[in-house]
Structures are given as structure tokens and as C-alpha cells.
Amino acid sequence: MKAKIIINEHYPIGNIDRRIYGSFIEHLGRAVYGGIYEPTHKSADDCGFRRDVIELVRQIGVPVVRYPGGNFVSGYQWTDGTGERSKRPRRLDLAWKSIETNEIGIDEFQEWAKRVGSEVLMAVNLGTGTPQDAQNLLEYCNLDTDTHYAGMRRKNGFEKPFGIKTWCLGNEMDGHWQMGHKTAEEYGRIATETAKLMKWTDPSIELVACGSSNYDMKTFGEWEMTVLDHAYDYIDYLSLHQYYGNHTDNTADFLARSVHMDAFIKSVASICDAIKAKKHAKKSIYLSFDEWNVWFHSNGKKVEDWQIAPPILEDIYTLEDALLVGCMLITLQNNCDRVKIACLAQLVNVIAPIMTENGGKAWAQTIFYPYMYASVYGRGTALRPVVKCDGYQSSDGLQAPYLETAVIHNGDTRELIVFAVNRSLDEEIELDFAPCGFDGATLHRHVELYSDDIKQTNSAASQSVAPAEREVQDVPQLKKHSWNMLVYQY
Ligand code: AHR
């Protein structure tokens, strides 16, 4: 099949905020213990962090990491994870029915984030916690005053404040599964009061309020409107969360889910703008898509309760999953005028691009590759692509083009980076790329992620789904069910 992409130098969508390539580490399963931290591992550094994991995270170039949850944060007492380790309490984590040793807390995590070159996107507990607890944590992290919590940080060995810029006001507070679940009214009020205290403490911070836990929540829409009605003046971003799974083993339907993600983003942006108009506000609210991924392989796998770092939510991803992750990244890039932060949930072991064996190897899942290439090369200005190609309708009515694409202009390197997924399960795409205003643009590099078997996975022993450099052609061919990155230089 033939497809054409037309772009024009004068038609930008917006500049990509590098934080759309963020990720997430929750105290959940083996994300922290056995994931980023394993002091007995042969690659452990002086803090007990696994160097092999640090190396893989650095390869991706993760600009921001959300921490410490997720559902976990809604019962978390942050003071448990600070100060002398031998005195830290063991607690029941009701979110995941696990035991939390508190060996890692904010003191250690901000050090790990520095070592991988990421900022921390810190979530506060608005489930069982209070506005005062959140404000105390902010003082501990960001202030240099001669006061209790700033002094506690200094006493714990951190003279300089951590300087955490962006904060999430709780997590999925609309969900009945959340500790301290709230109605939109209740959450709107506590988010506003917490935001006030936090911004009075450190006016330089930015705040993310909870949107709905996913598009299918019965309260979706109403929740956003009520929360924004309360908190509009105090917050900077509204969150979106969404996971997809191939529950019916229908690849065509599954690969169309990013069209749903696009509609979800546009709906939330419209709600933000409606409240902006209603309030006669000047500022706009931006979006933080701070949990997104494919998640379904591990559903229903039972793990014994009350273990330390049990192997939960350890989805092993196929090429098919990597294609949808590629399409979702393209969707984030093409909505970069509105989405300023996004977090692939999560980063290590828990629904993650990076897996580890306790005491053994660290390895890259299939989804690692589209994420890594987007983060490393997808920086600059997203141009509005006009795409001419055939498409199909999914069984739930989504119109999906066979070619999903984003085109990023990097003025520094004089490159146009085309991310392209061919959703067709049986036909190659012959690609005609028409860049207006970029005289002499020529294809310089073609990276492809492909396997004949769309259900192929990777493992600690083999990287069966790994990117390959293809020979550069005048008219590039995008294989059936493949992910591609084309680099044009001008
Ligand atoms: O990422 C796994 C879980 O998914 C998070 O803890 C929660 O916020 C979401 O429901």
C-alpha cells in the first residue's frame, strides 16, 4: 500500500516538552527493591543502586520520574522513609498488600534520580494524609530555612534542598480502590487547600491535580469540571491515566487504541478550556499524562499477600505491545501543545520497559525501544503531519489509519525525525515523504523494530525483538506490523 506524509515548516503543533518522556517508580512489587535497588547485586554502587539498571535508564534518557506512587502514596507516611535506616518502621502497604521496609525513601530516591539524570515528580498523600503533611514534605525537600523539616533534612545529611519542582496532589482519588477515595467535591476542596499551603511555602513549584483514573470512569467529565471549579487558580496541570490491553486477542482493535487516547486527551483539554472560559481565566491548564502503558498480561496472576517486594504486575511485552506503545508515544508528540508531562508507567519490573532478575541480569523489553528512540530523538518541534493513507474501523468504532506518524523538527541538528508505525497486519507501506520548506531533505537513517511473529517477546536470555538499521532507500518501505524511525537531514 502507498502512503504519503506532508509537512510544512510553517505548520508546527508545538515544542516538545522533554518531560513527555517521563516515567514512574512506585513502591510496588520489585520496582524499588530488586529493581533500582539491590545492595547485594554485583553491579551495586556505593548506595546499593544497580548500575546495570542505571545504565539502561540512562540509555532512554528519562527526564522526569514520578515517585513514590501510584496507589501506594495514598497511605504513605513520608517520614517513615527518612533518617537513620535502622530506625525506619516496617509497614503494611494496603494498596498492594505487601510489606514496605522503608529502606528507600525520599532521601535515597532523589539521589538515585540524580544518578540517572532525572528530575523527581513527587506525589503527596491526599488519601490518608493531610495538607499539613504535604506542606511538611515540601519544606523538607525544598526549603533552606531554619525550621523543623528543613533542619531535619540537614540533620539527615542533605545540606542543600532537593529542589523538587513539580508535585502531584494525590493519586487517582476518584477510584474506589484508593485509600481515602474522595468525591470530586471532597477532592476539589482538599487539593485546593493543599495547593494553597504548598504554594505559600514554595511559590516556584508547579502542581498537578488528579483527573480521572481513566476515560471509562463513570464520573469522568463531571470529576474534571468539579475539581477544576475548585482548584483552577492554584494548579498548573490536570492528570490523565490510561492503560490498554489486548483482552480479546484482536490485534487490529488493540492497535487502534491510541486513537482512543488521542480523543481522551482532546476531551480533557476541552474541559479545561470550558472551565477557563467560565472563570474568565487568563491562564490555561496543561495536561500531565502521568500514567500510560499497555497493562494486561499479568492480570489475574495471584501473588501471596504481605511479602516484601513480590513479583507483581510483571507483564512480559510482545512486539504487538511495542507497536501500541509506539503509537501512544506518537499521540503524545502530536498533542505536545497541551501535554507537557507524561509518564510511561512504570520503569522497572512493574509493567516496565526494563526488567531485572534478582541477583542476575537487567534486560530490555520490546517496549523499551520505541520509548528510548522517542526520548532520545523526539526532541524539538512537532510538525502537523497531513497523512494520506488507507485505514480501518475497529470493532468499537475507532477510525485508525494504517500509518500512524509524528514528525519532529530538530533545528539544532537540521534533522526531521519521522516516527512511523505500520498497523497493517499483512501489507508493507511504501512511504512518500513530502517535507515542504526543507530543501534537500534526504533520508539518512532508517531504524526498524520488527519480527515476523507479532507475539514475539524478549527475555533475559534473548533480545529477539531489537531495533535494526535498514538500508536507506529513496522510497522507504515500512514492513507490515512494524515500528520505524526515519531520520532526514536537510
Ligand atoms: O501503575 C500501577 C497502578 O495503576 C498505580 O499504582 C495506580 O495509580 C494505577 O491504577
Side-chain angles (χ1 to χ4, degrees):
M1 128 185 47
K2 288 186 195 296
K4 184 166 185 169
I5 304 172
I6 305 158
I7 50 116
N8 187 305
E9 61 169 329
H10 298 299
Y11 297 161
I13 298 170
N15 289 333
I16 295 210
D17 188 319
R18 62 190 187 88
R19 295 175 302 169
I20 68 167
Y21 305 121
S23 191
F24 179 25
I25 293 279
E26 177 168 0
H27 282 251
L28 192 186
R30 296 190 310 120
V32 174
Y33 308 108
I36 64 168
Y37 177 73
E38 194 178 351
T40 53
H41 193 271
K42 64 176 188 305
S43 79
D45 66 12
D46 57 318
C47 288
F49 297 130
R50 285 183 63 151
R51 281 203 189 85
D52 54 353
V53 173
I54 290 180
E55 177 47 36
L56 285 165
V57 176
R58 282 215 189 113
Q59 266 181 45
I60 297 170
V62 180
V64 69
V65 188
R66 187 162 173 256
Y67 176 83
N71 297 340
F72 171 81
V73 78
S74 297
Y76 183 51
Q77 292 164 258
W78 68 267
T79 46
D80 288 351
T82 55
E84 202 180 311
R85 275 174 156 168
S86 61
K87 298 207 174 108
R88 296 186 190 175
R90 282 182 170 218
R91 300 268 190 206
L92 294 177
D93 163 29
L94 301 183
W96 302 105
K97 291 203 163 41
S98 305
I99 290 178
E100 174 55 51
T101 63
N102 284 305
E103 219 173 319
I104 296 287
I106 184 58
D107 294 351
E108 294 77 24
F109 190 76
Q110 60 81 34
E111 180 57 37
W112 180 81
K114 259 194 251 160
R115 290 180 187 203
V116 296
S118 300
E119 267 177 43
V120 178
L121 171 60
M122 188 78 190
V124 301
N125 174 357
L126 288 189
T128 62
T130 63
Q132 184 72 74
D133 296 332
Q135 188 245 336
N136 294 343
L137 173 59
L138 176 61
E139 179 191 324
Y140 182 89
C141 291
N142 282 14
L143 262 63
D144 220 354
T145 46
D146 184 11
T147 48
H148 181 74
Y149 289 100
M152 188 197 261
R153 183 199 65 242
R154 284 190 289 267
K155 206 169 123 233
N156 288 340
F158 303 95
E159 195 50 42
K160 273 185 53 190
F162 304 150
I164 297 176
K165 184 180 166 204
T166 314
W167 295 72
C168 300
L169 295 165
N171 175 70
E172 296 190 349
M173 298 310 305
D174 60 327
H176 61 81
W177 57 88
Q178 207 66 215
M179 288 176 262
H181 162 224
K182 292 179 174 43
T183 64
E185 278 290 333
E186 289 165 346
Y187 175 69
R189 289 290 304 126
I190 196 171
T192 304
E193 292 308 313
T194 307
K196 269 163 54 181
L197 267 58
M198 291 179 78
K199 287 211 168 164
W200 288 343
T201 303
D202 180 354
S204 71
I205 60 167
E206 294 185 327
L207 294 172
V208 184
C210 293
S212 296
S213 298
N214 59 68
Y215 183 80
D216 294 329
M217 295 298 289
K218 279 209 182 83
T219 47
F220 171 70
E222 274 304 319
W223 173 274
E224 279 73 6
M225 284 188 243
T226 307
V227 169
L228 288 172
D229 247 335
H230 285 287
Y232 198 98
D233 292 343
Y234 299 93
I235 62 158
D236 305 280
Y237 308 93
L238 191 65
S239 76
L240 295 82
H241 290 182
Q242 190 72 53
Y243 296 96
Y244 297 116
N246 189 355
H247 300 284
T248 55
D249 200 11
N250 180 329
T251 301
D253 277 5
F254 177 62
L255 294 181
R257 301 312 288 162
S258 61
V259 177
H260 178 272
M261 182 192 201
D262 185 63
F264 181 25
I265 292 171
K266 292 188 164 69
S267 308
V268 177
S270 309
I271 293 171
C272 292
D273 290 345
I275 303 296
K276 177 181 180 181
K278 183 179 153 194
K279 285 185 174 285
H280 303 271
K282 287 208 170 60
K283 78 167 183 186
S284 296
I285 298 291
Y286 290 96
L287 306 183
S288 172
F289 212 127
D290 46 41
E291 285 190 37
W292 69 270
N293 202 349
V294 171
W295 172 10
F296 73 111
H297 296 283
S298 62
N299 288 357
K301 281 196 185 146
K302 189 71 194 125
V303 176
E304 214 183 301
D305 291 346
W306 311 127
Q307 296 185 73
I308 298 170
I312 46 183
L313 312 194
E314 299 204 355
D315 283 41
I316 299 300
Y317 291 113
T318 61
L319 170 63
E320 180 182 88
D321 300 325
L323 298 180
L324 183 61
V325 163
C327 289
M328 292 171 88
L329 283 158
I330 287 169
T331 304
L332 292 169
Q333 291 165 332
N334 284 335
N335 283 285
C336 68
D337 51 339
R338 209 59 199 245
V339 179
K340 300 294 172 187
I341 304 171
C343 302
L344 175 69
Q346 300 193 4
L347 187 55
V348 185
N349 287 334
V350 173
I351 43 173
I354 298 170
M355 295 300 291
T356 68
E357 299 171 319
N358 290 342
K361 284 189 179 163
W363 54 278
Q365 295 236 48
T366 59
I367 64 169
F368 178 93
Y369 296 107
Y371 178 36
M372 193 248 301
Y373 281 98
S375 176
V376 173
Y377 294 95
R379 307 209 180 196
T381 305
L383 300 175
R384 193 167 297 288
V386 175
V387 179
K388 298 197 178 289
C389 80
D390 291 344
Y392 63 96
Q393 182 167 314
S394 68
S395 64
D396 52 351
L398 297 168
Q399 286 297 336
Y402 285 115
L403 175 65
E404 192 65 75
T405 192
V407 182
I408 316 294
H409 175 213
N410 185 333
D412 298 335
T413 56
R414 296 180 60 85
E415 284 174 339
L416 293 166
I417 320 291
V418 180
F419 294 101
V421 173
N422 179 358
R423 286 192 176 97
S424 169
L425 302 181
D426 37 46
E427 270 191 71
E428 274 201 355
I429 288 178
E430 232 175 66
L431 183 65
D432 177 4
F433 181 55
C436 304
F438 297 95
D439 290 345
T442 43
L443 185 59
H444 175 70
R445 196 172 165 205
H446 180 175
V447 183
E448 172 189 89
L449 193 68
Y450 175 76
S451 161
D452 275 344
D453 177 5
I454 199 169
K455 302 288 185 184
Q456 185 63 257
T457 57
N458 289 343
S459 68
S462 100
Q463 285 285 294
S464 309
V465 184
E469 296 279 343
R470 280 195 66 177
E471 205 180 306
V472 166
Q473 289 170 322
D474 286 345
V475 180
Q477 313 284 315
L478 313 180
K479 286 197 186 128
K480 65 177 182 181
H481 59 72
S482 68
W483 170 96
N484 302 265
M485 183 183 79
L486 307 165
V487 181
Y488 289 83
Q489 289 189 332
Y490 65 93

